[in-house]
Amino acid sequence: MKDDDTMITLIKRLFIGVILCLCLNTYAAQIFVTDYASEAQAKVFVTTYKSEANCIVYETKYQSDSGSGVWYFTNYKSDARAVIYYTKYKSEADLVVHFTNYKSEARCRY
C-alpha cells in the first residue's frame, strides 16, 4: 500500500512539473491561485530557502515571457494551465517553490 502511495506521489509531482514548466520555449506558465485545496492541481509551499525548492520561480507581468520557472498569474481560472493552492505546511505540499527577483535564476528540478 505504501509503495502505491509513493508511486502516485511521484507521478503526481512529475505531472505537476510538466504542467508548470510547459512553457520552456513558448510562454510563461499561466497560473491561477485558488482558495480551495480541493480544486487545485497542486498544493504549493513557498520557502525562503532556494536549497529547499523544487522550483525557483520568477513572477512575470507578461504572458509572453518564456523560460522554465517563469510564472504568469492570471485572474481567471479558465485561462490557467495550472491551478495551485498555497499551503502553510511543507509536509502537505506537492511542490516547494522559492520566488526570485531575477529571471536568470528561475528553474525547475524534479
Side-chain angles (χ1 to χ4, degrees), residues 64-102:
S64 59
D65 255 349
S66 63
S68 177
V70 178
W71 290 7
Y72 172 79
F73 289 92
T74 182
N75 294 323
Y76 304 102
K77 185 178 173 184
S78 60
D79 292 340
R81 291 189 181 172
V83 178
I84 65 169
Y85 171 79
Y86 287 120
T87 181
K88 295 178 184 178
Y89 307 103
K90 183 179 174 184
S91 61
E92 66 182 24
D94 299 309
L95 188 65
V96 179
V97 302
H98 171 78
F99 285 93
T100 182
N101 294 323
Y102 306 102

Side-chain angles (χ1 to χ4, degrees), residues 1 4 7 12-13 16-17 21 25-26 30 37 42 45 48 50 52 57 72 75 77-80 86 99 106:
M1 183 73 168
D4 290 340
M7 184 58 80
K12 188 175 180 181
R13 286 188 180 178
I16 292 164
C21 294
N25 294 319
T26 55
Q30 295 178 351
F45 177 77
T48 54
K50 286 182 191 178
E52 284 185 336
V57 174
Y72 172 79
N75 294 323
K77 185 178 173 184
S78 60
D79 292 340
Y86 287 120
F99 285 93

Side-chain angles (χ1 to χ4, degrees), residues 39-67:
E39 72 178 9
Q41 294 167 326
K43 293 178 187 173
V44 175
F45 177 77
V46 179
T47 182
T48 54
Y49 305 105
K50 286 182 191 178
S51 60
E52 284 185 336
N54 302 107
C55 271
I56 299 178
V57 174
Y58 174 76
E59 180 181 347
T60 183
K61 295 180 183 180
Y62 309 102
Q63 279 182 282
S64 59
D65 255 349
S66 63

